[in-house]
Amino acid sequence: MHPAIEQTKQWLAEIVIGLNFCPFAKKEFVNDTIHYHVSSAGRIEPALEALMAQCQYLSEHDELETSLVIFSTGFRQFERYLDLLDYANELLVDSGYEGIFQLASFHPDYCFEGEDIDDAANYTNRSPYPTIHLIREASMERVLAVYQQPEAIPENNIALAHEKGATYFKNVLKRIKKQ
């Protein structure tokens, strides 16, 4: 298994699932319905090609719930990653995947607009590698329909991140990356 996949799985287990940042992730993680794709793309065009290939792959594999496109070497600069994300969202629409898939974004240097770079809340979206998460919209709609107060998830995550503190997250990510 590629080290980027191993480290991403560890991050999912410890942070995303362990802290319940995404209350829907555990089921898919345990059921092994998450597809992991590592891309070494460092330029926008090949990265978008990899993303579209994953959309096609998910379309052909109903047994998989979601896909994580992990950029193992490229898009280390957060601003460059945000450019990729903008293009990726446009391409979803242009390729006819709007309403089928949506994107969630994670990056080692993720920073919410208007927040301080060291704010612990940023760790709700910080990951070992730049990663784009492809989510099936129909599945998301189904789980949100039965989940009480889904709008509170981001607020709860930010509160927990502040409670844990940035140092906690820095240490976990540092340890994961050393493995």
Side-chain angles (χ1 to χ4, degrees):
M1 183 182 315
H2 194 285
I5 293 174
E6 289 178 17
Q7 292 167 1
T8 297
K9 284 183 170 184
Q10 187 66 35
W11 164 73
L12 285 171
E14 287 192 45
I15 301 293
V16 177
I17 295 166
L19 297 178
N20 203 31
F21 278 168
C22 177
F24 320 116
K26 183 176 182 177
K27 176 185 174 212
E28 306 314 329
F29 189 77
V30 169
N31 291 339
D32 199 25
T33 56
I34 302 171
H35 179 71
Y36 303 87
H37 175 77
V38 177
S39 172
S40 61
R43 293 187 358 256
I44 299 280
E45 189 173 306
L48 293 174
E49 288 172 7
L51 187 66
M52 287 299 103
Q54 285 306 296
C55 286
Q56 184 64 38
Y57 187 84
L58 273 182
S59 295
E60 295 169 356
H61 291 86
D62 291 336
E63 73 278 9
L64 296 171
E65 191 56 44
T66 191
S67 182
L68 294 173
V69 181
I70 305 162
F71 295 96
S72 60
T73 57
F75 303 99
R76 293 287 181 210
Q77 293 179 321
F78 184 55
E79 293 300 321
R80 185 82 172 127
Y81 171 80
L82 290 177
D83 291 342
L84 170 63
L85 198 58
D86 285 342
Y87 286 119
N89 277 307
E90 288 176 20
L91 190 56
L92 271 187
V93 173
D94 294 346
S95 299
Y97 286 117
E98 182 180 35
I100 298 170
F101 299 116
Q102 61 179 267
L103 306 179
S105 59
F106 302 95
H107 191 278
D109 296 324
Y110 200 97
C111 185
F112 289 105
E113 189 172 343
E115 294 297 328
D116 185 74
I117 191 79
D118 294 322
D119 191 305
N122 294 317
Y123 285 91
T124 63
N125 285 65
R126 287 198 182 164
S127 57
Y129 296 91
T131 301
I132 295 179
H133 180 193
L134 278 166
I135 304 166
R136 293 182 189 272
E137 283 204 14
S139 298
M140 184 57 65
E141 289 171 9
R142 279 193 304 275
V143 297
L144 289 176
V146 298
Y147 189 84
Q148 293 184 0
Q149 297 182 314
E151 66 280 356
I153 294 170
E155 295 167 16
N156 294 340
N157 290 350
I158 289 169
L160 179 57
H162 283 143
E163 181 183 314
K164 289 285 189 185
T167 301
Y168 168 83
F169 293 102
K170 284 179 191 175
N171 290 337
V172 170
L173 286 171
K174 183 193 287 185
R175 179 176 41 76
I176 289 171
K177 287 289 285 193
K178 284 184 180 179
Q179 293 178 356

